[in-house]
Amino acid sequence: MRNNSFFKLTFWKAIAGIIIICGLFSLYNRFFNGLGASTHLSDAVPWGLWIGFDFIGVGLAAAGFTIAVTVHIFNVRRFEPIVRPAILTAYIGYMLVVALLVIDLGRPQSFWHPLVMWNVHSVMFEITWCVICYSTILTLEFAPVILEKFHLRAPIKILKKISIPVVILGVLFSTLHQSSFGSLYLIVPGRLYPLWYTNLLPVNFFISCIAAGLSMIIFESYQNARAFNQGLDIKLTSKLAKIVLYALIAGFVVRISDMIISGRMNALFIMRTETYMFIGEILVGIIIPVILLANKSYRESKFLLYLSSIFVISGFVLNRINVAVTGLTASSGVSYFPSFDEISITLMLVVFGMWAFSLVVKYFNVFQADSTEEIDEIFEPDSKEIILSE
Amino acid sequence: MNAKALLFDATLCQGCGACYNACKEQNKNSKACDDPLKDHLSADTYTVIEQHHVVDANKNQSDIFTRRLCMHCIEPTCVSVCPVGAMEKTKLGPVLYDADKCIGCRYCMQACPYQVPRYEWKSVNPKVKKCIMCHDRVKNGQPTACAEACPAEATIFGDRDELIQIAKKRMAEKPEAYYPEIYGLKEAGGTSVLFLSPVSFDQLGFSPNLPKGPMPLLTNKVMEKIPTVVSVGGVFLGSMYWLTKRKNEIAKEQMKGNNNEK
């Protein structure tokens, strides 16, 4: 057993090493030979995998604001143990997205321009500001975890004082940011395939990120419990799963009723790639996890919870890739598949993200050892004043 | 000052390529391709001539030539989507690009309803490239290079209002020769490049289902809800925090009270 896990570890380490070497090589190619040499982007396909990954990174970071609002604003203290993993996930997600956005920019040295050159009519302008503001807020929200390790009490006190406005601002910026990725495509009615194009794109993006973000936390909790041989707090995760279930159903109802009302249902019966991808996305990301999570006994099985979180995340990834790539292929008239450099840089960032997450979890107090499952929300006098990630 | 515009009449164009060559020369763009009919819009080709083989209702075959170039929309999508305002619609008519502002997000390319802006993909410091309606010439009262070069007067330059009158006059004089519409009058809120054609415009590869209103409205409808979302959301979250906190305090006091009674 021991040897086996040791081998497994080095195997994954080797894979990670190869990915990072390829990624660095690709990064060199991108910065010294340009986007044309390193990507399969073209005049017909100006956005590709990287934009899709930005959507995914930000969407999977959504637990950062949903859990913060549940615990700190609605005072549902039973979710307190997952505030820290949620905020750490969001923080890492945002850092990766910022890095990739800069890599994707044609003129990365000018990335700061939106700070001083304003066009308030642009969704891209809104997005830039949301990324900057919410990253700052995540830093403030996560800082106590780092500070407490070094016993720096004074700054923690200040952060606690401003914590409620910070949480509220964070929720507002996230809401705007999640939905604005959908708004990006409102301007291309003729180009985005009708199965995805709707006036409700921002709403769909917002609802779908809630289920995906929470599933990410379930996924991480399971992985973490396995890695550190801790028991998974099944009560808590299955409660999370219930919210995921409601969010999935809400998202499904909104999307399907919107399709019926705007008369786009017939697009479902045209046999073409887009239809298959759409059905795949709905099946993997909504139907299967809803069936798994609707059943209480399934919801309380560790493995099925884990499995359903993988389904939700995969379906979410499919959805964002469909909007960013699949849905635009027909109108661009060019088929696009990401280049080696695009894929290796993306994978490298994923590896960095996982690495950063496991390092922080290892050295800082992120997953509290003792879960508060026995404690009723009302009987928690100590945590009353303690806000943020503590 | 009246906004300038171009009128292209497909019934007059012979496909000689004079506009294409004049454009290349004016913008000092390299010629990778000698045949203006085979070239495509690119970072160093701002206009091309397209040949369309059209069969009409009486099975008469004909070749129709049409041009592709930036349409210089009256309310341009590229201007509205650019996060840093690198695209600008001038009062004179041309839509201009400022590389010093551009961050290279390529949203203009993604959003343009005519898919016109092109990118210097090979460069490490790329710019967006497209027709700028010979802004330097137009500023000095000259016509665009393509209009000046056209031997058949298929492309003419002038005030947009006057060009619309000319187009209407042409259609009225020879109704049998024209499809009874001016493309660019209403498309995506109207453009500063107008087209006349003998056949319907979708046969010439023009997008038939563009909204008749300005495209930026599609985004603005959502963008103008942001202040409401922020203010209502902020007040809602603030009051929810206060309410749940108060509820817990009351519950705590009651708990204490109960304990004291015992």
Side-chain angles (χ1 to χ4, degrees), chain A residues 56-81:
Chain A
I56 294 163
V58 166
L60 294 181
F65 83 92
T66 48
I67 295 298
V69 80
T70 314
V71 173
H72 297 313
I73 305 298
F74 293 98
N75 250 305
V76 186
R77 293 285 154 186
R78 79 169 86 96
F79 287 123
E80 197 143 24

Side-chain angles (χ1 to χ4, degrees), chain B residues 107-210:
Chain B
Y107 196 13
C108 51
M109 305 176 63
Q110 184 71 271
C112 173
Y114 304 101
Q115 302 182 35
V116 163
R118 303 286 141 154
Y119 211 50
E120 290 179 324
W121 293 103
K122 285 175 186 155
S123 165
V124 284
N125 197 24
K127 296 185 192 115
V128 171
K129 290 299 190 84
K130 67 172 197 67
C131 158
I132 53 163
M133 214 198 255
C134 295
H135 184 243
D136 283 342
R137 294 173 58 104
V138 170
K139 224 170 33 185
N140 297 327
Q142 286 175 284
T144 62
C146 57
E148 194 176 71
C150 182
E153 294 202 336
T155 299
I156 56 172
F157 175 82
D159 292 347
R160 188 171 186 266
D161 301 341
E162 281 173 24
L163 291 180
I164 292 170
Q165 293 313 315
I166 293 172
K168 283 183 177 162
K169 211 174 126 201
R170 285 186 190 174
M171 288 195 295
E173 278 168 6
K174 277 194 199 170
E176 73 287 350
Y178 289 100
Y179 180 74
E181 249 177 52
I182 307 172
Y183 192 94
L185 209 54
K186 294 270 158 60
E187 277 70 19
T191 63
S192 300
V193 180
L194 305 163
F195 287 82
L196 285 176
S197 158
V199 295
S200 68
F201 287 97
D202 54 320
Q203 292 187 68
L204 301 182
F206 285 67
S207 180
N209 47 10
L210 280 182

Side-chain angles (χ1 to χ4, degrees), chain A residues 151-179:
Chain A
H151 306 291
L152 298 164
R153 288 176 189 278
I156 294 182
K157 261 187 185 165
I158 299 169
L159 285 173
K160 262 185 208 159
K161 278 207 178 114
I162 56 165
S163 66
I164 289 301
V166 165
V167 168
I168 292 179
L169 277 177
V171 174
L172 295 174
F173 281 125
S174 301
T175 308
L176 291 181
H177 190 203
Q178 299 286 354
S179 55

